[in-house]
Amino acid sequence: MPIIIRLDRVLADKKMKLNDLADKVGISNVNLSNLKTGKVKAIRFSTLEAICEILDCQPGDIMEFVPDDSDSREMD
């Protein structure tokens, strides 16, 4: 998957636990854990906004696009 979730790194930098973030965002711990491990296919902008507001970060701090080799071959 070309989108890598770096939520665990941001949480560690902010010294916050996943459970605390889930409570503050208002989503289940399971859903936030699935996001952290990259098991989700989508995220609502309202959820992303809440996460960024609480962690005082930008979306690019918690998500990174890393193209697959196959993606670059298709463009050639």
Side-chain angles (χ1 to χ4, degrees):
M1 180 160 101
I3 301 291
I4 297 176
I5 306 297
R6 306 254 185 241
L7 184 57
D8 53 346
R9 183 178 64 188
V10 177
L11 284 169
D13 290 346
K14 303 291 182 174
K15 296 177 176 55
M16 184 179 287
K17 293 181 180 181
L18 188 72
N19 294 341
D20 296 333
L21 180 60
D23 288 342
K24 290 180 181 186
V25 171
I27 63 174
S28 73
N29 189 32
V30 171
N31 285 341
L32 194 57
S33 180
N34 285 339
L35 174 63
K36 186 181 94 161
T37 57
K39 294 179 181 174
V40 296
K41 294 185 185 258
I43 182 172
R44 292 177 190 238
F45 280 126
S46 58
T47 302
L48 181 60
E49 181 181 341
I51 290 170
C52 289
E53 185 175 335
I54 291 162
L55 294 177
D56 189 29
C57 68
Q58 294 294 314
D61 296 333
I62 59 175
M63 293 186 281
E64 180 182 354
F65 175 73
V66 179
D68 287 339
D69 288 338
S70 61
D71 290 344
S72 62
R73 284 188 219 126
E74 290 176 11
M75 297 176 74
D76 290 339

